[in-house]
């Protein structure tokens, strides 16, 4: 069947996501919509107030046909790696299209810039490294490098978060095209409010503002911005205040028991940053205060939140395992049919619906999945969910 892939976090699934799905199906004529979704932790290094099972169920109830989990090693990482993992999974699922939201809304404009970024990749990389040596973050250094090489008109596209991810999706789609796997990129212009905005008149709100409203107890206001069919399901949100306090305690304990050398071995621990962690964690009165003092011109808040999660997970590899598989979190009848079709042809991707019966044969996939399972256990511990009842070994995909 003709299928379209969507990369999302659905944190939570709101009316903007519903709009994106409807426009995507209209533009592509796809019979099946497959979402690759982050698990319990987000790309910005945040804990989700809803676990992956709640969010995937809400997506299928609201019209998505199949939800697959984006492994932790991709989901909690910088945009390039996030996009790479998601596109690779969707390529393995044999999708015809990949659709993503963008502030640009112009696929030709984005594709043209992606081509230029690849053509001038060496020069841009050289200038980026120069700016990073001056103390700027990776993202800020890249934006400066692109402006110097491509000009201000092109660089302005990199100031919008969804445009940045869109370019990464397109670059990875082009990679697969060079391997003989042809996927058509499609973009839907973001409708209504941005990520951090709320607009009563448009009826759309950014995910960050919806989470803030829920944390503040304003469920009536939030309901207006969620599809009616998922409102009741998403009322059961975890209040993250106690969870972040527990996460801070983990950081404090780790910085006390680990030497600077041991901290330096953690994934993405920048040079000298281990000493700052030791120094600042001791006096931090809240998790947000710790992130604020760690954030600098060189290290963004998102990078610091991700690093805290790597610390909680004790991820010490310089390069994490890069397994690619389709782990089913939720599906309806159409989604199940696509899974059946994918299982019937050999395209190199393993489908996992029950980890008690279908542990990966591929060793790298097994290592990647083991990190996913560990991430779920850590999340359940931090947010106070029953560690047996919500274990990945016990939970089953939602089937509509």
């Amino acid at each position: 069947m003709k299928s379209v892939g969507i990369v999302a976090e659905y944190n939570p699934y709101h009316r903007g996501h519903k709009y994106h799905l409807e426009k995507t199906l209209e533009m592509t004529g796809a019979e099946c919509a497959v979402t690759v979704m982050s698990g319990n932790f987000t790309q910005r290094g945040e804990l989700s107030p809803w676990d992956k099972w709640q969010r995937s169920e809400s997506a299928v109830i609201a019209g998505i046909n199949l939800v697959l989990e984006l492994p932790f090693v991709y989901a909690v990482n910088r945009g390039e790696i996030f996009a790479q993992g998601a596109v690779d999974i969707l390529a393995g699922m044999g999708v015809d299209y990949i659709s993503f939201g963008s502030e640009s809304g112009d696929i030709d404009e984005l594709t043209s810039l992606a081509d230029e970024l690849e053509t001038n990749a060496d020069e841009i990389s050289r200038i980026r490294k120069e700016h990073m040596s001056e103390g700027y973050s990776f993202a800020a250094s890249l934006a400066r490098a692109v402006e110097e090489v491509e000009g201000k008109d092109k660089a302005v596209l990199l100031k919008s978060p969804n445009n940045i991810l869109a370019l990464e999706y397109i670059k990875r789609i082009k990679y697969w095209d060079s391997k003989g796997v042809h996927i058509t990129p499609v973009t839907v212009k973001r409708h209504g409010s941005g990520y951090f905005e709320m607009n009563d008149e448009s009826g759309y709100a950014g995910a960050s503002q919806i989470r803030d409203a829920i944390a503040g107890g304003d469920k009536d206001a939030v309901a207006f911005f969620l599809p009616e069919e998922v409102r009741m399901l998403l009322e059961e949100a975890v209040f993250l205040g106690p969870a972040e306090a527990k996460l801070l305690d983990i950081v404090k304990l780790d910085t006390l028991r680990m030497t600077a050398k041991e901290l330096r071995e953690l994934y993405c621990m920048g040079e000298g940053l281990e000493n700052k962690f030791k120094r600042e964690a001791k006096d931090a009165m809240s998790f947000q205060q710790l992130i604020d003092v760690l954030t600098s011109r060189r290290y963004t808040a998102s990078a610091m939140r991700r690093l805290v999660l790597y610390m909680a997970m004790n991820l010490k590899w310089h390069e994490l395992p890069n397994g690619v598989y389709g782990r089913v979190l939720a599906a309806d009848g159409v989604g199940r049919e696509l899974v059946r079709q994918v299982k019937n042809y050999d395209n190199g991707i393993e489908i996992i619906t029950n980890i008690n019966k279908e542990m990966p044969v591929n060793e790298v996939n097994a290592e990647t999945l083991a990190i996913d399972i560990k991430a779920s256990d850590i999340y359940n511990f931090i947010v106070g969910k029953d560690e047996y009842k919500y274990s990945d070994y016990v939970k089953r995909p939602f089937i509509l």
Side-chain angles (χ1 to χ4, degrees):
M1 67 182 79
K2 186 187 293 186
S3 59
V4 60
I6 295 171
V7 186
E9 292 190 316
Y10 293 153
N11 190 31
Y13 190 99
H14 54 66
R15 289 175 62 180
H17 296 128
K18 183 92 170 181
Y19 172 82
H20 176 248
L21 173 61
E22 291 170 349
K23 291 296 293 182
T24 292
L25 295 177
E26 177 186 316
M27 294 167 70
T28 64
E31 304 160 86
C32 180
V34 184
T35 292
V36 174
M37 189 191 79
S38 300
N40 296 323
F41 302 102
T42 72
Q43 196 263 337
R44 290 178 172 85
E46 298 169 333
L47 291 79
S48 173
W50 304 271
D51 68 28
K52 60 189 180 185
W53 307 104
Q54 291 170 297
R55 289 170 20 248
S56 58
E57 180 179 348
S58 69
V60 169
I61 288 174
I64 296 293
N65 303 111
L66 175 64
V67 180
L68 306 175
E69 181 173 4
L70 180 61
F72 179 93
V73 296
Y74 300 110
V76 186
N77 221 315
R78 67 179 189 270
E80 178 184 2
I81 297 175
F82 179 93
Q84 175 184 320
V87 172
D88 287 2
I89 291 171
L90 291 170
M93 294 300 295
V95 299
D96 301 283
Y97 304 89
I98 291 180
S99 174
F100 40 82
S102 67
E103 289 83 4
S104 165
D106 187 334
I107 195 64
D108 292 332
E109 177 183 53
L110 293 170
T111 301
S112 175
L113 179 55
D115 289 340
E116 291 182 31
L117 292 178
E118 287 195 332
T119 299
N120 299 313
D122 291 343
E123 179 69 2
I124 290 171
S125 178
R126 182 187 64 79
I127 298 172
R128 173 185 59 77
K129 289 176 182 177
E130 289 179 359
H131 287 304
M132 288 186 71
S133 70
E134 296 167 357
Y136 290 97
S137 69
F138 180 93
S141 298
L142 178 61
R144 286 168 175 261
V146 171
E147 182 171 332
E148 291 180 33
V149 176
E150 305 291 347
K152 288 186 177 181
D153 290 346
K154 299 289 179 64
V156 73
L157 289 172
L158 294 177
K159 295 184 182 296
S160 301
N162 290 282
N163 284 346
I164 295 172
L165 274 177
L167 290 168
E168 296 298 344
Y169 296 140
I170 292 169
K171 285 158 64 176
R172 196 61 181 177
I173 289 170
K174 287 170 62 64
Y175 163 83
W176 279 108
D177 189 69
S178 72
K179 301 292 184 182
V181 178
H182 305 299
I183 303 170
T184 302
V186 175
T187 191
V188 176
K189 186 175 178 62
R190 282 185 62 89
H191 187 70
S193 301
Y195 181 80
F196 295 104
E197 301 171 351
M198 184 174 285
N199 187 327
D200 289 345
E201 292 182 5
S202 72
Y204 293 88
S208 178
Q209 288 301 314
I210 292 175
R211 293 195 299 274
D212 287 347
I214 287 178
D218 193 357
K219 291 185 177 181
D220 290 338
V222 171
F224 180 62
F225 299 104
L226 301 180
E228 185 176 355
E229 59 267 39
V230 302
R231 288 174 189 170
M232 292 296 292
L233 179 65
L234 293 176
E235 280 187 3
E236 299 302 319
V238 173
F239 178 53
L240 295 180
E244 290 187 344
K246 189 178 289 187
L247 192 53
L248 176 63
D249 286 341
I250 292 173
V251 174
K252 285 177 176 285
L253 180 60
D254 282 345
T255 53
L256 285 172
R257 70 177 178 81
M258 296 173 73
T259 66
K261 181 181 179 181
E262 289 172 326
L263 286 171
R264 194 158 54 243
E265 293 173 353
L266 291 170
Y267 180 63
C268 286
M269 180 66 78
E271 185 179 353
L273 194 53
E274 70 278 3
N275 296 315
K276 191 171 185 179
F277 257 91
K278 271 189 165 292
R279 187 170 60 248
E280 301 295 354
K282 189 184 304 180
D283 299 323
M285 300 300 293
S286 70
F287 180 74
Q288 188 56 52
Q289 181 188 31
L290 176 63
I291 297 302
D292 289 342
V293 296
L294 292 173
T295 301
S296 64
R297 188 171 71 173
R298 185 182 183 102
Y299 298 110
T300 65
S302 294
M304 292 301 93
R305 284 193 295 266
R306 289 194 294 264
L307 186 51
V308 166
L309 294 181
Y310 302 150
M311 185 181 296
M313 293 277 292
N314 197 30
L315 296 181
K316 293 186 176 181
W317 296 281
H318 177 63
E319 292 185 3
L320 299 182
N322 59 347
V324 174
Y325 44 81
R327 186 177 178 198
V328 179
L329 295 180
D332 66 5
V334 175
R336 294 199 304 277
E337 174 59 21
L338 180 65
V339 167
R340 188 191 67 78
Q341 291 181 13
V342 172
K343 283 184 174 181
N344 283 342
Y345 65 82
D346 181 17
N347 65 341
I349 190 169
E350 294 185 80
I351 300 293
I352 304 168
T353 54
N354 184 337
I355 63 173
N356 296 298
K357 299 178 180 179
E358 301 170 322
M359 287 299 285
V361 176
N362 180 286
E363 184 177 341
V364 176
N365 285 354
E367 291 176 0
T368 307
L369 180 60
I371 293 175
D372 290 350
I373 295 168
K374 183 178 181 180
S376 289
D377 290 341
I378 297 263
Y379 173 84
N380 292 332
F381 170 73
I382 292 173
V383 303
K385 284 181 175 282
D386 186 296
E387 292 171 48
Y388 173 77
K389 181 180 178 182
Y390 291 95
S391 164
D392 277 12
Y393 288 104
V394 175
K395 291 290 292 183
R396 295 289 180 270
F398 170 76
I399 303 298
L400 183 63

